[in-house]
Structure formats: C-alpha cells, structure tokens
Amino acid sequence: MQVFEACIFDLDGVIVDTAVYHFKAWKRLANELGFNFTEAQNEKLKGISRVKSLELILEWGGIEKSADEQQVLATRKNEWYVDMIHHMTPEEILPGTKELLDNLRAAGIKTALGSASKNATVILEKVGILPLFDALVDGNTVSASKPDPEVFLKGAEALGISPAKCIVFEDAIAGVQAAKAAGMKVVGIGEQDVLGEADLVVSSLEQIDMQTLTNLYSK
C-alpha cells in the first residue's frame, strides 16, 4: 500500500477562523472610505493576497487609488488585523486540528503550513501550535497567489518530500485548485457543492483520522 509522507495545511478556515478579523478590518477601512463592505464580499476574498483583496474592495466601492495610496491603505488594514490576532488564544483552534496534528507527528508524517497569510507565525504562536509544524510557507515567502501551486510546491520542498506524497487541507476553491496543480491529494474543508474538485470533502478536521488519509492516498 502506498503511504503519504506529508500534510500541508492552509491556515484561515482550516486551522483557525480569522475571517472575522479580516472582515472587521476590511469593513473598518471601507467605512472610512465612505462605503460598506459585506460578509458576502468577504467570502470572495478567501485565499487571495492582501493586495488583490484591496483591489477588489476598491473596485466594489467605485474608488480609484494610486499604487502608493493602495500600499498605505493595505498597511493600515493590516495593522488593525494584527492588533486583533495578537489577542487570539488556543480556544480559537478549530475542532479536530490539534488532535490531527498530534497524530500525524506520532506517525512520523511531516507537516507544513501553506498559506497566503503574512501573519501566520504570529497566529500559530498565539494559539500554541507553532511547534507542531516542520515548515512554514506563507505570504512572506511566496510571490504567486493560489490557484498558482507555488505555496504548496515550496511546502513540499521545505519538507524534502515529493509533491506526489503530500496531502493538502484547504477550505477555498483556489486552494483546492492550487493543490491539484501541484500534483497533490487534497481534502476540502467545507461544502461538497463548493469544493467538489477536492479528493475528499469534510465539514471539519474532526472527521479526519490516519486511516481516512491512508485510504484517500491509496486511491
């Protein structure tokens, strides 16, 4: 039987749910610019970079800003967001996450983070699971946004594991597509009708155990 050797996790919506903090920060920025920002719009920002997110928000608000002005706005939003995530606690880890990470480590399976977030290290430190990752690949080390596979390929490279022996955990369509483009198996965390391109879709990491992953990889 074939055996997988590594698992690569997205951050937001898989390990923790920081969407609420992104939403609050983006909404505050939009309101200061004179327009509203909805939760439905926030959902459309899943898995994409801060710069691209700002471009979309300005477009929705019908506002044009120069590149320098956009940089100032993106920095301001991030300062608000970082202030909020510095108050995160271990209680904010999504159900089943720590148990799965512990089980993977006990089984000798390597783990990496593959996220567009530039604040991943801070978040993992605050929720107390940074030591459970063998490698971190985030928005500070990649240049291409998902669905480009760069973040996952760099994760496999950092672990010294072939992409074909990796399983990815993702909650966004772009992330699922990135994992598939990297030649990896992917578990979607969310709704089947949204993440149907994934090899397996579950509503929570609580539904994942070592046997499930072994069966998935062997298909």
Side-chain angles (χ1 to χ4, degrees), residues 110-172:
K110 295 288 188 181
T111 55
L113 187 82
S115 169
S117 172
K118 291 190 175 183
N119 302 291
T121 300
V122 171
I123 292 170
L124 294 179
E125 284 178 343
K126 290 297 177 182
V127 300
I129 56 173
L130 183 60
L132 296 180
F133 289 89
D134 298 296
L136 299 181
V137 180
D138 60 18
N140 297 300
T141 53
V142 296
S143 56
S145 296
K146 302 167 186 176
D148 189 285
E150 180 188 16
V151 66
F152 295 133
L153 291 174
K154 282 194 171 183
E157 181 182 8
L159 294 173
I161 303 294
S162 165
K165 291 185 176 292
C166 297
I167 297 176
V168 169
F169 295 86
E170 260 289 350
D171 75 316

Side-chain angles (χ1 to χ4, degrees), residues 135-210:
L136 299 181
V137 180
D138 60 18
N140 297 300
T141 53
V142 296
S143 56
S145 296
K146 302 167 186 176
D148 189 285
E150 180 188 16
V151 66
F152 295 133
L153 291 174
K154 282 194 171 183
E157 181 182 8
L159 294 173
I161 303 294
S162 165
K165 291 185 176 292
C166 297
I167 297 176
V168 169
F169 295 86
E170 260 289 350
D171 75 316
I173 297 171
V176 170
Q177 293 171 340
K180 301 299 284 186
M184 302 175 179
K185 294 281 189 179
V186 56
V187 176
I189 311 297
E191 301 296 329
Q192 177 69 43
D193 58 349
V194 176
L195 304 174
E197 293 180 47
D199 297 291
L200 172 68
V201 179
V202 295
S203 59
S204 164
L205 288 181
E206 287 181 296
Q207 296 172 255
I208 298 295
D209 57 26
M210 295 301 295

Side-chain angles (χ1 to χ4, degrees), residues 76-122:
R76 186 186 306 166
K77 177 267 176 182
N78 190 56
E79 287 171 350
W80 295 333
Y81 171 73
V82 169
D83 180 63
M84 286 185 279
I85 63 173
H86 268 86
H87 296 91
M88 291 182 74
T89 68
E91 284 68 40
E92 294 183 69
I93 301 172
L94 291 176
T97 303
K98 187 171 187 305
E99 292 80 3
L100 178 57
L101 289 168
D102 285 337
N103 289 339
L104 291 169
R105 184 157 293 265
I109 303 297
K110 295 288 188 181
T111 55
L113 187 82
S115 169
S117 172
K118 291 190 175 183
N119 302 291
T121 300
V122 171

Side-chain angles (χ1 to χ4, degrees), residues 20-89:
V20 63
Y21 302 125
H22 283 296
F23 174 65
K24 287 180 178 179
W26 283 128
K27 184 174 177 63
R28 179 176 174 183
L29 185 69
N31 291 165
E32 287 195 0
L33 291 171
F35 62 94
N36 196 23
F37 176 66
T38 68
E39 291 188 34
Q41 289 171 323
N42 192 56
E43 283 294 306
K44 296 178 181 178
L45 305 183
K46 271 189 175 181
I48 65 175
S49 69
R50 186 187 314 154
V51 172
K52 181 62 177 175
S53 294
L54 177 61
E55 289 175 357
L56 286 172
I57 290 169
L58 291 176
E59 184 179 317
W60 293 330
I63 290 179
E64 292 187 9
K65 294 288 184 180
S66 68
D68 287 344
E69 289 172 326
Q70 287 186 32
Q71 183 60 50
V72 170
L73 293 174
T75 299
R76 186 186 306 166
K77 177 267 176 182
N78 190 56
E79 287 171 350
W80 295 333
Y81 171 73
V82 169
D83 180 63
M84 286 185 279
I85 63 173
H86 268 86
H87 296 91
M88 291 182 74
T89 68

